[in-house]
Amino acid sequence: RTAEEDRGHCREMIRAVVFDFDGVLANSEPLHFRGYRDVLAPRGVALTERSYYENYLGYDDIGAFRAIAGDFGVTFTDADIADLVAKKAVRLEELEKSASVLFPGAREAIERMAAAGPVAIASGALKGEILRVLDHEGLRGHFPIVVSAEDTPASKPDPAPYLLAAELLAARHPGLQAAECVSIEDSKWGLLSARAAGMKTVGISHTYPAAELADAADVVIDHLDAFTPELLRSL
């Protein structure tokens, strides 16, 4: 191989991993649905599980409540939305107390990738929710970079969360480019966000079937056990 080919090969290598959180590491989407449902019911909004997964899963809390209000023909002021977000956060914490919310293989995948290079999180969840789970599971030390709903003005599928994650990774690891990062996501919204930021994309069929992820993912896997450095080298 020529020196130019070697340089091109180095540029294409995956150097960092950016995990989505809900639906990838934390099996918390069912809990999020219950949280939304429970706080909306007193306001006369009957959110169904099917509607949540089809229409609102890709939003952060503020975006979801705004979209739900529009779709259900109700009016929520900014104060109403702030109140709903706060009440949902309390309800989610209550629901999480019953057991670990990590997907099978999540702990091992985090440890495997953290041993191979930098890792980060880019999520539409609230930072307190993410850190609470990481602390409970003893995994917070692996993630010096956590981009959450409060950190960017726009949420997925906008690329802002992944652009910020790439910027923070580059600050810690000079020269690191977005194209040298891979995102792992469970939804098309997240995959589109990461791709628009210039990252490679891995879809995982925890939440949606592989066929719904394929167009926006470089590869789709069905279990975190398959998320390995060897897979990343194949990208």
Side-chain angles (χ1 to χ4, degrees):
R1 208 160 51 182
T2 67
E4 182 59 33
E5 287 172 333
D6 281 338
R7 285 192 292 273
H9 177 69
C10 289
R11 283 195 298 270
E12 294 165 3
M13 287 179 62
I14 299 299
R15 296 175 55 197
V17 172
V18 186
F19 289 91
D20 179 36
F21 191 68
D22 294 323
V24 172
L25 297 177
N27 187 18
S28 48
E29 294 301 358
L31 303 188
H32 279 283
F33 159 67
R34 290 170 63 186
Y36 283 116
R37 180 197 64 190
D38 293 351
V39 302
L40 286 166
R43 293 176 177 265
V45 176
L47 182 68
T48 65
E49 188 172 16
R50 179 176 178 179
S51 180
Y52 170 70
Y53 278 98
E54 288 184 354
N55 302 308
Y56 310 115
L57 182 146
Y59 290 98
D60 62 12
D61 285 350
I62 293 173
F65 284 122
R66 285 177 176 161
I68 289 166
D71 293 343
F72 282 80
V74 298
T75 300
F76 290 153
T77 65
D78 288 346
D80 289 332
I81 290 177
D83 180 63
L84 286 165
V85 169
K87 287 179 176 175
K88 175 180 171 282
V90 171
R91 181 65 180 132
L92 189 65
E93 186 171 4
E94 292 170 351
L95 292 168
E96 286 174 356
K97 289 178 180 177
S98 58
S100 170
V101 298
L102 291 184
F103 275 104
R107 179 182 302 278
E108 293 80 3
I110 292 167
E111 293 173 347
R112 186 164 56 241
M113 292 305 178
V119 297
I121 287 172
S123 171
L126 295 173
K127 186 155 292 180
E129 295 172 1
I130 299 168
L131 297 181
R132 184 170 66 241
V133 172
L134 294 178
D135 285 339
H136 179 69
E137 301 292 344
L139 293 168
R140 186 168 177 177
H142 291 302
F143 292 104
I145 295 170
V146 175
V147 175
S148 60
E150 306 96 318
D151 295 325
T152 58
S155 60
K156 304 171 187 177
D158 191 278
Y162 280 106
L163 289 172
L164 179 57
E167 178 184 334
L168 295 173
L169 282 164
R172 284 178 167 266
H173 307 277
L176 181 65
Q177 303 293 315
E180 298 170 311
C181 301
V182 64
S183 160
I184 178 166
E185 280 277 358
D186 68 310
S187 76
K188 60 186 176 183
W189 299 283
L191 290 167
L192 291 171
S193 171
R195 179 163 282 185
M199 295 186 183
K200 295 288 189 181
T201 53
V202 174
I204 187 162
S205 54
H206 280 162
T207 309
Y208 297 101
E212 293 189 24
L213 306 176
D215 287 347
D218 293 303
V219 64
V220 179
I221 59 177
D222 62 3
H223 196 285
L224 284 167
D225 287 350
F227 193 56
T228 64
E230 291 72 26
L231 176 72
L232 302 194
R233 282 195 286 271
S234 75
L235 300 178

